Amino acid sequence: MADDNANVLWDVMIIGSGPSGWTSAIYAARADLKTLVFTGLEKGGLPGGQLMLTTEVENYPGFRDGIMGPELMDQMREQGLRFGTVLVEDDVTEVDFSKRPFTLKVGDEQYHGRAVIIATGASAIWLGLDSEKRLQGRGVSACATCDGFFFRNKDVVVVGGGDTAMEEATFLTRYASTVTVVHRRDELRASKIMQERARKNPKISFVWDSVVTDVLGEKGVEGVTLKNIKTGATHDIATHGLFVAIGHRPNTELFVGQVEMDPEGYIIQHDHTETNVPGVFAAGDVSDTRYRQAVTAAGDGCRAALDAEHFLTGDVALDWGTTDGAPAAMESVSH
């Protein structure tokens, strides 16, 4: 069945429904721009972003006593809808930024818009264990800054050997009684200064040549099973939390060849939040290699919407009328 939203020329099309996507929608819709959000599906973009995997969020401003991650995202969604945002609750399968209006495809349906905000976020790289997935938000985390507070005076395990893992481990010593770093090699990949900082911290210890093969516990993390990759020997250690710090992967596969990215796949912001394609903007973790917080993603979403509004306000060169549901004018975009 055809989607009537495909017969509209949208002012702003937003791909993603995490904090950056919903904040972009709120600002764009309040500015009286025709705003369409592609929320994604569970099989793809995880509607609501990584906060849907989080239990209590205590560091988002405005919620003195904290708020559950899914509830926060639901409130953002409702706020966006209040101002007239329209939703396509599906995954974008193809994009074309080579000419304007820009085209986004969902299967056979095509959607056209004057500006696009990419807010597809980034995903933590997980170990791939069933038990890890089952206990996400219940002791398994990929963000010490987000969840470290909940492990005050408890024992935790950090998996990884790079700078991110050392940063997470060092940060967790503010709260945890002990931090055990599990690394699959016999030496760290982290920078020298980060290694020294971690090694000198009396709360941090290391388990070398080992991987986590299981996360123990039913309602919460109670321990992990470790396997020595050289000897094959396994043993369990008790812990209250497992922090996976083996990297993040930006959700940018859809945009390869369409916008400029760094070697890790993060979209490069050129002029404020604008990409190298005029009229296409990036917001949140999809372009953030450093902070990766809900509040910074929301701030970036605000910036992207304001940048898009400014772009559209100055965009008077074309007649943006429609004929039979299709854009009447197209303009090549130089990359």
Side-chain angles (χ1 to χ4, degrees), residues 230-299:
K230 290 184 176 179
T231 67
T234 63
H235 71 283
D236 297 341
I237 64 172
T239 186
H240 298 98
L242 173 65
F243 287 82
V244 180
I246 55 177
H248 284 75
R249 183 182 296 112
N251 301 321
T252 56
E253 297 90 346
L254 185 64
F255 311 107
V256 173
Q258 296 284 334
V259 294
E260 187 177 355
M261 304 178 189
D262 71 11
E264 301 300 319
Y266 287 89
I267 295 175
I268 297 173
Q269 295 173 329
H270 284 260
D271 184 11
H272 302 290
T273 63
E274 194 168 45
T275 68
N276 64 307
V277 180
V280 178
F281 305 84
D285 289 8
V286 78
S287 56
D288 178 8
T289 62
R290 182 178 179 88
Y291 300 104
R292 293 193 291 267
Q293 299 295 304
V295 67
T296 54

Side-chain angles (χ1 to χ4, degrees), residues 26 28 59 90 123 127 142 208 217-218 230 253 283 326:
I26 291 166
N59 57 0
D90 210 333
S123 300
L127 302 176
W208 305 106
E218 292 300 323
K230 290 184 176 179
E253 297 90 346

